[in-house]
Amino acid sequence: MTYDYIIAGAGAAGCVLANRLSASGQYTVLLLEAGGKDSSLWFRIPVGFAKMYYNPTFNWMYYSQPQKQLGNREIYAPRGKVQGGSGSINAMIYVRGQAHDFDDWAASGNDGWGFKDVLPYFRKLENHPLGDSEYHGGSGPISITPMKGQTHPICDVFLEGCSQLGYPRSDDFNGAKFEGAGLYDVNTKNGQRCSSSFAHLHPALSRPNLTVEHYALVDRVLFDAAQQRASGISITQHGVVRTFTARKEVILCAGAVDTPKILQLSGVADRELLARHQIPLVKHLPAVGRNLQDHLCVSYYYKANIPTLNDELSSLFGQLKLGLKYLLTRKGALAMSVNQAGGFFRGDQQQAHPNLQLYFNPLSYQIPKNNKTSLKPEPYSGFLLCFNPCRPTSRGHVEIASKNPRDAALIDPNYLSTQKDIDEVIQGSRLMRKIMNAPALRSITVDEVLPGPAVETDEQMLQYFRDNCGSIYHLCGSCAMGADEQTSVVDKRLKVHGFAGLRVVDASIFPNVTSGNTHAAVLMVAEKGADLILQDAQV
């Protein structure tokens, strides 16, 4: 079958593209998704992300290669295997990043991607309760909900403690003032998750020019005889190989792990990697799968002398009470992210910009080591504080494990491989201890459960981080945007170097990771990418 546009991946970006490219009715669009539909009620309820954390039906449940700097641990990397992608299973925090993050994109050879250029697309995607303003949009499909006024009362103690230490307050991390302590926004609507699947794709499903195929695992991109144009795509669906032809473009939206995997399986990658797996070379593009980046975080655990969410969620009665409140009002803990307060801070006075992100969580829980165990609150009144460096400089890679598309790619983020990243681990650890020593927080804290007072020196803090840190699931950069095809994969119009009719539109095109949660930036890339594609269609 033939379509104008074939989109590989119905994740956060793919759903946006499917809506925007099919909206006029002028073009036929095929959207391919390796997973199933997001019809379960748990995709609607914000707290449902905990149910998907170790769910192989809806989660690829990837793991990294052993990380040398982290005691050879394999780090968990959940990825959405469902319509909506990782935007259907994430914790919904909505943070764009700092202006200079995007200015750095532009400075690396990508004109049109500076903050002033991308701000209109952030505004376009948003439906913000304050309506249209300089920094926000009031009529976009993605609903933004400030958690202010709804968070657990203990979050106010965190904000007071930061104020006591002289840290600034940010009332809107996506507004004029990024730096400081504050409460996060989430992408929810009326107490329900507002993923790009729900906001973009579901309303478009009735269009006759839009087709969605589920359980469609991409085998490879097809090229014409001259190998200068992408002509279609091959998939395996329920054991049957199917091919589709694209009149205009094939657009890869499979994310930072699977987009480079698809390109490599298609013969577009480093020639040595392809030769190793006996895949015919279509184009030597050495940057495919390189430049992988992620945010790495660690949690400190505290016992409180006042009630926290642990008290409500640890008993059946408390769970029923929260559930009833949610059913009746669409409010309460089940309507929000567990990551409620936090902010962006400078690790020292030499930093030109905030370089550390903090999360203050009114619930404390251990990430279970056994993936058959669910997330459960600690058996005491507790909370946690965690941090991650905003712009780590460690760079890793993604490579196919074999020529079999069903084999998961090898993910090697190469965590903590630069001195800057190590230095920021110490800065972040010291910052958390400093904030927890504020009078307001001291007054509600019984003790630090982990790492505890025995961990005090820089060396001990670094070792605690190495032993206990984990991904915060912001993998990006593995098909980076840039002008040089030796060091990048797509140009500033998101076209794969050397080809017509082939683009990448997802987190893999980030030249550098953004400061904060990456979901909002992925939605922006999709909105801008859709405009670029539609502009080129008119040429």
Side-chain angles (χ1 to χ4, degrees), residues 50-89:
K51 293 286 186 181
M52 304 301 167
Y53 191 77
Y54 281 131
N55 187 325
T57 302
F58 301 113
N59 188 337
W60 290 106
M61 292 176 56
Y62 293 145
Y63 284 85
S64 77
Q65 295 297 288
Q67 294 298 289
K68 182 172 66 174
Q69 300 296 329
L70 308 182
N72 287 322
R73 290 188 297 129
E74 297 178 358
I75 304 301
Y76 186 44
R79 301 280 92 186
K81 185 173 66 171
V82 65
Q83 186 174 300
S86 297
S88 289
I89 66 170

Side-chain angles (χ1 to χ4, degrees), residues 95 136 148 158-159 162-163 167-185 340-345 354:
V95 173
H136 291 292
K148 185 177 181 179
F158 168 76
L159 297 178
C162 291
S163 178
Y167 290 112
R169 176 73 179 267
S170 174
D171 291 325
D172 181 1
F173 296 127
N174 302 304
K177 188 177 180 182
F178 182 81
E179 183 173 3
L183 303 175
Y184 288 109
D185 292 351
Q340 296 180 4
F344 298 87
F345 302 82

Side-chain angles (χ1 to χ4, degrees), residues 402-431:
S402 76
K403 63 195 304 182
N404 185 345
R406 280 156 290 287
D407 289 342
L410 306 178
I411 305 168
D412 185 1
N414 197 25
Y415 289 124
L416 225 62
S417 56
T418 68
Q419 189 59 47
K420 175 181 180 292
D421 293 359
I422 291 172
D423 291 343
E424 289 186 332
V425 166
I426 304 302
Q427 290 178 12
S429 303
R430 290 290 177 200
L431 174 63

